[in-house]
Amino acid sequence: MNTTTAPTKIPVIAVVGNPNTGKSTLFNALTGMRQKTANFPGVTVEHHTGLIELPSGKVNLVDLPGSYSLAAESPDEMVACDVLLGLIDNLHQPDAVLVVVDSANLRRNLFLAHQVMELGKSVVVALNMSDIAKRRGIHIDPDKLSKELGATVIPFVATDRSRAQALKATMDVAINAKAVASATVHPEVVEAAHVFADELRSEGMQVTDYEVERALIDARGYAEIRLINNAPTGTADKLFALRQQLVQQGDGCSLAKTEAIRRYKLIDAMVGKVETRTGKQLSLTDKVDRITNHPVWGMVLFITIMATVFQAVFSWAGPLMDLIDTGAGWMAATVGEALPPGALNSLLVDGVVAGVGSVIIFLPQIIILFAFIILLEDSGYMARAAFMMDRLMRYVGLSGQSFIPMLSSFACAVPGIMATRVIPNKRDRIATIIAAPFMTCSARLPVYALLIAAFLPKQQFLWGLVNLHGLVLLGLYLLGVVGGVLTALLLKRTGLKGPTPGFMIELPPYRFPDLKSVLIRLLDRGKIFLRRAGTVIFTVAIVVWALVYFPRPAEIFEAYDAERVVAEIELSGEELDIRLSQIDNFESAELLEQSLLGRIGKTIEPVFRPLGWDWKVSAGVVASFPAREVVVAVLGTIYAVGADVNETDESLIGRLRSAKHADGKKVFTLPMTIGLMVFYAFCLQCAATVAVMRRETGGWGWPLFAWTYMTGLGYVSALLIYQGFS
Amino acid sequence: MRLDQLKPGQKATITDIDEDGPVAQRLMAMGLLDGTKVSMTRKALGGDPVEVEVMGYALSLRKDEARRVSIEISPS
């Protein structure tokens, strides 16, 4: 165990607390923008770290996932325990622990605080949202609680700067203070765990006393599973025998129940001395919940909220998107004029600006979508949505626990699949992982947005409240949900048969989200999207540009230059201009056909011809298998290079509208466009998702299945739609 | 009587919890112990999951989980 810290190391303070205690808001109030999102090695749970300045120097604040207890059911929940014990690579044992406590829920929150105190850490307790508690008639004496608990207790309100200063000063004292472990509630278990851990260590196993203690107490928990997997054979029998012995010598019930009863007895005594309650609490939430959790009105409200979100994503983002479009056009024109014509000019204008620009334009829509998701989470509504949806999820054989990963997948399947780690049952976890990529992620949004805006009429109903574009988008989202649900159902009925998992969540009181915290998280999401645009999409845009631009055979130029000479001799005035632009068009079209991408597209075109695609669309779809939103950039580049030179100022939408097959028929007919959108709704075009699936399922089997299944489903659906309606 | 049988608006005191590993342990960590007072707030469409109030906060759980909790109805 790592207990010594080199003097040059920046001290670490771990931040722990129950879910819904406003922990991340407090974290954001302390760190502001000086934070980063990262993953712990080995596990996939996301966490935030941030450097803050304390009077005695810099400190690294590490925000841990919210939990009710150190008893872990899954690898995900074990992270908190491992960080506190110093078992994480590249992160030394915390010098102090900040326990965030919801003042309105002191009793339940002190359970975790008390467990942490037993670890012998220097602990600071932040009584968060003390203003809300006060308004509900809950008064807590922080000084008395400090004495009772043996740790400094500081009331905290995220919007009050002076509170942050006081908290920082206290943390500064705590990292330099010598911590004393508070008396344990079960000394006999601690002693037995120590002896057993010594025995295991003498056999060469690396294990801490506390890991063994948790393995003893948490029957069928993750600590037990991990210990048995890593320990020498025969450990399981010894562990079970020792547990049995402790139960018989103890209070006559399980060790877990003994821990809970004894701890709550101590806590009850403490709370009795420090807390006074006047009046009834939960009144506003009670009233709101009567509607939001109502079997009928709640469902109506849920559907209304979801519909509003999708309408807003379309209509509010419009002006901002126009602005970005104008900006990109100005950039292309400026760069195009500043540089002499040639490969570099084309690379910058048609490759970089057109490719990346056509993806960045969707930033406003993504920001609006995330703003809604974060607001729904922080206000407390998301838990109600899970409560409403649990019954539905159960018809699929899953639980409300799968609802959150599925909902996260509407933003991106990668964090969604990562979030499935909270599902303890492996079958349900895999079913959720396979269903998650069906949810319409933000990368599909650019594709949908482009095709809808280009090929569907602008129609409005109900006095402009509802528009056809928003409705079609909602329909595509629903299609993803239906696809995912049917897939999960199929899996749960066949390969992943098993009982329905449990569902147990707190419904936190409604509260107004903290604006600063919302903005910080929103910027974080925006940065992640832009980073993708700046790396993956940038690279693909350049590669695609090169595939489109080269090889440029000299014969083509010579042939068309000869035609130009002929035209200049034979024609004059307006006729000459028309003829010259015609020649330019034929020239670019032939260059494109002769290009590397043109050859690739034509080779694979027969595969996609039954779907009504031309070789350009086929090439774009194939190029977008690593990341689906790339198709917009690819189409942007293909159509920019091959565009009619008189139409260079026209947007991609205009170019798509005028795209024609060799026989002169329009490429983007309504059945073809809808088929293409459905193809994107189902197809698994995301290398990151495939990679994370492999990591989470522990092999290539499931990702390979998902890829084949989803791509096949997309192809067949697009085929049926195109052939059926053309 | 079991917690899942409690009607909305009724109050009760917990008398026992069926112990069977992580689910029961989580319920206990969240404060559902012998002697704790609970009340049924509402039930979702079809009566499942249920929402109970315990120690001043709202907890949603399924009938299957609520069934593990033995209760004694308090006179209202």
Side-chain angles (χ1 to χ4, degrees):
Chain A
M1 193 156 88
N2 174 16
T3 44
T4 50
T5 308
T8 48
K9 271 189 182 164
I10 297 174
V12 170
I13 297 182
V15 186
V16 302
N18 286 185
N20 309 308
T21 50
K23 193 161 66 69
S24 49
T25 303
L26 179 141
F27 182 82
N28 287 333
L30 288 180
T31 58
M33 294 305 294
R34 291 150 301 168
Q35 57 167 288
K36 52 184 181 190
T37 312
N39 278 62
F40 288 115
V43 290
T44 45
V45 53
E46 199 181 63
H47 78 292
H48 301 267
T49 63
L51 285 179
I52 60 164
E53 198 77 51
L54 295 186
S56 67
K58 278 197 170 69
V59 167
N60 190 12
L61 216 57
V62 180
D63 191 18
L64 298 180
S67 63
Y68 294 106
S69 159
L70 290 179
E73 262 183 75
S74 58
D76 199 24
E77 295 175 344
M78 199 68 192
V79 165
C81 211
D82 287 346
V83 169
L84 294 177
L85 294 173
L87 299 175
I88 303 274
D89 294 338
N90 304 323
L91 186 73
H92 63 86
Q93 212 177 12
D95 301 89
V97 181
L98 174 63
V99 183
V100 184
V101 162
D102 174 7
S103 306
N105 251 319
L106 188 62
R107 197 174 158 226
R108 196 199 65 217
N109 278 259
L110 282 180
F111 188 86
L112 178 70
H114 202 261
Q115 276 183 329
V116 174
M117 297 279 309
E118 272 187 10
L119 289 174
K121 296 269 166 236
S122 197
V123 171
V124 175
V125 174
L127 282 179
N128 203 17
M129 304 186 285
S130 46
D131 52 337
I132 298 174
K134 222 171 251 171
R135 257 180 272 142
R136 288 212 208 118
I138 302 165
H139 293 268
I140 300 163
D141 186 332
D143 297 329
K144 263 192 196 164
L145 184 58
S146 290
K147 273 198 205 93
E148 290 289 328
L149 203 58
T152 319
V153 178
I154 297 281
F156 191 83
V157 179
T159 46
D160 189 343
R161 273 168 180 273
S162 65
R163 303 296 181 103
Q165 288 309 321
L167 185 58
K168 281 181 183 174
T170 313
M171 288 196 289
D172 197 45
V173 174
I175 50 169
N176 299 308
K178 205 170 148 27
V180 187
S182 67
T184 169
V185 294
H186 38 219
E188 67 285 3
V189 179
V190 174
E191 179 53 30
H194 176 66
V195 173
F196 193 32
D198 266 348
E199 190 188 319
L200 290 170
R201 283 191 288 259
S202 74
E203 288 174 63
M205 187 187 174
Q206 272 196 329
V207 70
T208 60
D209 286 5
Y210 195 71
E211 285 173 277
V212 178
E213 185 184 326
R214 287 262 58 107
L216 271 172
I217 300 169
D218 310 339
R220 285 164 45 204
Y222 185 67
E224 179 196 285
I225 295 168
R226 190 168 77 177
L227 186 79
I228 291 172
N229 284 345
N230 295 342
T233 43
T235 305
D237 294 337
K238 283 186 204 163
L239 184 78
F240 297 151
L242 184 56
R243 183 187 289 154
Q244 194 56 40
Q245 191 192 328
L246 285 164
V247 168
Q248 276 163 7
Q249 289 166 357
D251 300 355
C253 56
S254 74
L255 299 182
K257 191 167 186 176
T258 307
E259 183 194 6
I261 288 175
R262 292 191 192 170
R263 214 181 283 288
Y264 267 116
K265 204 173 164 191
L266 278 177
I267 292 168
D268 281 343
M270 260 187 244
V271 173
K273 285 181 202 162
V274 305
E275 186 187 88
T276 46
R277 285 185 180 229
T278 51
K280 195 198 178 311
Q281 7 109 41
L282 281 172
S283 55
L284 172 71
T285 296
D286 263 355
K287 277 178 202 152
V288 179
D289 267 346
R290 244 166 245 169
I291 301 160
T292 56
N293 289 9
H294 189 277
V296 178
W297 297 122
M299 204 57 97
V300 172
L301 186 77
F302 175 75
I303 293 167
T304 312
I305 288 176
M306 291 299 139
T308 309
V309 171
F310 296 126
Q311 291 291 321
V313 164
F314 246 85
S315 48
W316 299 0
L320 279 168
M321 293 172 72
D322 290 345
L323 204 71
I324 294 174
D325 198 27
T326 314
W330 176 84
M331 277 259 305
T334 314
V335 174
E337 274 168 32
L339 290 169
L344 182 67
N345 189 316
S346 174
L347 168 68
L348 291 177
V349 174
D350 301 325
V352 178
V353 178
V356 176
S358 51
V359 176
I360 286 180
I361 195 164
F362 297 101
L363 186 64
Q365 291 186 328
I366 280 155
I367 292 284
I368 290 174
L369 180 70
F370 269 110
F372 273 105
I373 289 181
I374 292 172
L375 285 176
L376 289 176
E377 257 172 18
D378 282 13
S379 65
Y381 184 76
M382 217 58 125
R384 272 79 186 176
F387 177 75
M388 301 289 306
M389 288 299 119
D390 181 62
R391 186 79 193 185
L392 271 179
M393 297 302 284
R394 211 163 343 156
Y395 285 127
V396 188
L398 298 172
S399 81
Q401 272 174 319
S402 295
F403 185 77
I404 301 293
M406 296 271 207
L407 204 68
S408 309
S409 300
F410 278 102
C412 176
V414 173
I417 289 172
M418 287 174 177
T420 60
R421 283 227 158 183
V422 298
I423 305 169
N425 182 304
K426 194 170 178 194
R427 281 187 306 266
D428 297 309
R429 194 158 74 216
I430 287 177
T432 312
I433 286 173
I434 305 295
F438 275 97
M439 302 305 125
T440 304
C441 66
S442 51
R444 283 188 180 98
L445 196 55
V447 187
Y448 292 164
L450 175 74
L451 294 176
I452 288 174
F455 300 107
L456 289 168
K458 261 205 166 104
Q459 265 179 345
Q460 293 191 329
F461 316 100
L462 294 175
W463 309 282
L465 276 175
V466 180
N467 63 62
L468 181 67
H469 288 184
L471 275 182
V472 172
L473 187 67
L474 184 63
L476 285 163
Y477 271 75
L478 288 176
L479 187 70
V481 174
V482 170
V485 159
L486 290 181
T487 301
L489 196 65
L490 212 69
L491 286 171
K492 286 290 290 181
R493 290 275 162 89
T494 55
L496 298 168
K497 234 182 189 139
T500 308
F503 174 71
M504 206 188 305
I505 56 162
E506 184 189 352
L507 304 175
Y510 286 106
R511 53 177 82 111
F512 282 102
D514 179 67
L515 204 63
K516 186 182 171 189
S517 184
V518 171
L519 281 177
I520 286 172
R521 281 156 64 195
L522 209 50
L523 281 171
D524 194 43
R525 291 296 139 190
K527 266 196 280 182
I528 290 171
F529 175 75
L530 287 181
R531 207 177 299 141
R532 261 168 86 76
T535 53
V536 180
I537 297 164
F538 180 81
T539 313
V540 174
I542 288 179
V543 169
V544 169
W545 168 84
L547 290 175
V548 171
Y549 193 77
F550 296 109
R552 299 179 86 71
E555 311 92 78
I556 295 179
F557 290 105
E558 282 160 18
Y560 283 98
D561 279 344
E563 276 196 39
R564 282 191 190 96
V565 173
V566 172
E568 273 164 13
I569 295 168
E570 288 178 355
L571 302 164
S572 65
E574 209 173 305
E575 273 185 315
L576 175 65
D577 288 341
I578 293 170
R579 179 72 191 129
L580 281 180
S581 76
Q582 262 181 348
I583 293 171
D584 286 344
N585 286 347
F586 288 134
E587 186 184 48
S588 347
E590 194 168 344
L591 280 172
L592 187 58
E593 284 195 52
Q594 294 294 320
S595 72
L596 293 169
L597 191 74
R599 289 174 204 177
I600 295 171
K602 288 202 164 149
T603 314
I604 53 158
E605 193 196 353
V607 179
F608 295 115
R609 198 176 295 141
L611 315 186
W613 302 357
D614 66 350
W615 67 265
K616 290 180 185 175
V617 177
S618 308
V621 168
V622 169
S624 67
F625 267 95
R628 51 173 71 88
E629 69 271 36
V630 160
V631 75
V632 177
V634 174
L635 290 178
T637 305
I638 296 180
Y639 284 99
V641 176
D644 186 326
V645 282
N646 286 336
E647 288 180 282
T648 39
D649 58 345
E650 239 201 277
S651 63
L652 179 55
I653 286 179
R655 289 171 184 157
L656 291 182
R657 279 185 185 144
S658 51
K660 287 187 178 65
H661 281 292
D663 58 7
K665 281 192 196 137
K666 276 205 156 119
V667 175
F668 289 86
T669 59
L670 201 58
M672 178 273 182
T673 310
I674 291 177
L676 185 60
M677 288 196 284
V678 171
F679 181 85
Y680 271 89
F682 289 150
C683 192
L684 180 52
Q685 293 168 302
C686 181
T689 302
V690 174
V692 80
M693 269 186 177
R694 195 206 74 84
R695 197 169 53 178
E696 295 299 311
T697 57
W700 282 108
W702 284 111
L704 217 65
F705 164 78
W707 189 87
T708 316
Y709 168 73
M710 291 180 74
T711 307
L713 193 63
Y715 185 90
V716 171
S717 307
L719 180 75
L720 291 177
I721 291 169
Y722 181 72
Q723 296 296 343
F725 293 97
S726 298
Chain B
M1 188 174 171
R2 300 290 174 137
L3 182 56
D4 64 302
Q5 295 166 298
L6 205 60
K7 291 190 182 75
Q10 280 186 322
K11 290 181 170 59
T13 305
I14 296 175
T15 55
D16 193 25
I17 291 187
D18 296 353
E19 290 199 60
D20 55 351
V23 175
Q25 192 178 1
R26 180 165 297 219
L27 283 171
M28 294 188 291
M30 292 179 91
L32 287 93
L33 284 165
D34 307 2
T36 308
K37 290 187 165 38
V38 286
S39 64
M40 180 64 65
T41 312
R42 62 175 63 80
K43 297 181 176 185
L45 203 64
D48 196 6
V50 301
E51 183 190 331
V52 297
E53 195 191 316
V54 51
M55 299 198 306
Y57 74 92
L59 177 70
S60 158
L61 64 168
R62 282 197 181 150
K63 268 173 107 166
D64 285 349
E65 288 143 7
R67 202 169 291 139
R68 294 161 204 258
V69 182
S70 299
I71 49 158
E72 206 165 74
I73 295 191
S74 319
S76 48

